[in-house]
Amino acid sequence: PGASGVCKQAGGAVPSTSSASTSTAPTATTTTVRAPSQASAAASAADIVEADPEHSLLAALSARAGAVASGMDTDDALATLQAYVGLKFWPGHSVLESLGNRLQILAPTMTARQVGGLLHTYVGLKTRPSDSLLAAVAARAEEVVPDMDINDLINILEAYADMQLNLAASLWAALERTAQGDAPKMSAHQVATTLLVSAKLGHQPSTLLAQALGRRAQELAPAMNPEDVVDTLNAYAQLMLHPGELLLQALLLRAEQVAPEMDAKEVAGTLSAYARLEQEPGSQSWSRPTPTP
């Protein structure tokens, strides 16, 4: 994830600053509240919020949220964090720490939806949960994988990729089994996202998962929009996983059909993926083509 903060100026403009800042009393007209830079991302200045009546209210509510966090249930704690994402308001480290500590206690009782929602929310906040919270959530995720739907699965995979986190082998295996079972119901975007996230995390899908995703991609290829065509082609290229001749030709045919709708980035991405996928797949650097659906 990028290093830019989640906060914005009240008027809608998003200025930057490289100076350190702290939260002060909500009545001070010069108060600034800013998100920290991500350790894993390139260093850049965070955005700020200039204090006004609206943000003074948010500061007051945030102070109270930190005070009552220990009594919140999972939905309340998640709703609080999600509100900060929606408002693009940075509540401060102490508030996040209080909410994180409460969520760590609640993690063993979270549903699959709540696990995915929590990770996705931290991505929106552009910050990383504490190691102890991550460990508790990962342990719970593995327990509730059988209850996950496709959206829960995608949320978790995307969150780990965006936060540049590694999944434990046991959690990977559980998520792959769920993705394999859900593949026949996936949308084109979900197929592409599953492949792209695997590529981002440097994880080669299992043979069974690759086959299931390939079959679904071939079913959906004739109706894919430009973004999904490009993402699917690029995912296979980044994974160095040849999709098989039938699927490759179906994707290239669709790319030709939607080429007039592509923007500059999509054109470049399609050409780049095409060049790589046209290489001889028998090379040792490429995985074997997936079987023909």
Side-chain angles (χ1 to χ4, degrees), residues 26 50-59:
E50 298 294 344
D52 60 15
E54 175 189 359
H55 293 111
S56 295
L57 170 61
L58 291 175

Side-chain angles (χ1 to χ4, degrees), residues 60-271:
L61 289 172
S62 294
R64 187 58 181 164
V68 301
S70 61
M72 288 184 179
D73 62 20
T74 304
D75 287 336
D76 289 338
L78 285 177
T80 302
L81 289 174
Q82 288 163 355
Y84 291 135
V85 175
L87 291 165
K88 297 185 179 180
F89 180 81
W90 179 251
H93 289 287
S94 62
V95 175
L96 286 181
E97 183 178 6
S98 297
L99 291 168
N101 289 341
R102 181 56 179 166
L103 287 166
Q104 182 180 335
I105 293 171
L106 295 168
T109 64
M110 287 183 184
T111 65
R113 182 63 50 84
Q114 289 168 337
V115 168
L118 183 150
L119 292 170
H120 188 69
T121 299
Y122 271 93
V123 171
L125 286 167
K126 293 182 169 56
T127 193
R128 173 176 168 162
S130 67
D131 290 342
S132 55
L133 176 55
L134 276 174
V137 171
R140 183 56 177 168
E142 193 166 342
E143 293 173 350
V144 298
V145 164
D147 301 325
M148 289 182 185
D149 63 17
I150 297 172
N151 290 324
D152 299 330
L153 179 71
I154 296 296
N155 273 343
I156 290 175
L157 289 174
E158 285 188 315
Y160 270 88
D162 289 341
M163 290 189 284
Q164 299 179 348
L165 301 172
N166 292 321
L167 279 80
S170 55
L171 180 54
W172 259 121
L175 290 171
E176 282 204 333
R177 286 193 296 270
T178 299
Q180 180 186 333
D182 287 343
K185 300 176 288 184
M186 286 186 181
S187 67
H189 179 70
Q190 290 167 337
V191 170
T193 299
T194 303
L195 290 166
L196 277 174
V197 167
S198 296
K200 284 182 181 179
L201 292 171
H203 179 81
Q204 195 77 5
S206 67
T207 300
L208 291 176
L209 176 57
Q211 290 173 357
L213 293 172
R215 284 192 292 268
R216 183 58 175 161
Q218 185 152 347
E219 292 173 357
L220 297 170
M224 283 185 181
N225 62 35
E227 180 183 2
D228 293 333
V229 174
V230 177
D231 285 348
T232 303
L233 287 168
N234 270 299
Y236 278 113
Q238 290 174 32
L239 286 166
M240 300 195 80
L241 175 65
H242 198 281
E245 288 303 323
L246 286 181
L247 175 53
L248 178 57
Q249 292 307 313
L251 290 169
L252 294 177
L253 175 61
R254 185 57 179 166
E256 181 180 349
Q257 293 169 342
V258 298
E261 306 169 35
M262 290 184 181
D263 60 24
K265 186 175 182 179
E266 290 166 343
V267 170
T270 302
L271 286 169

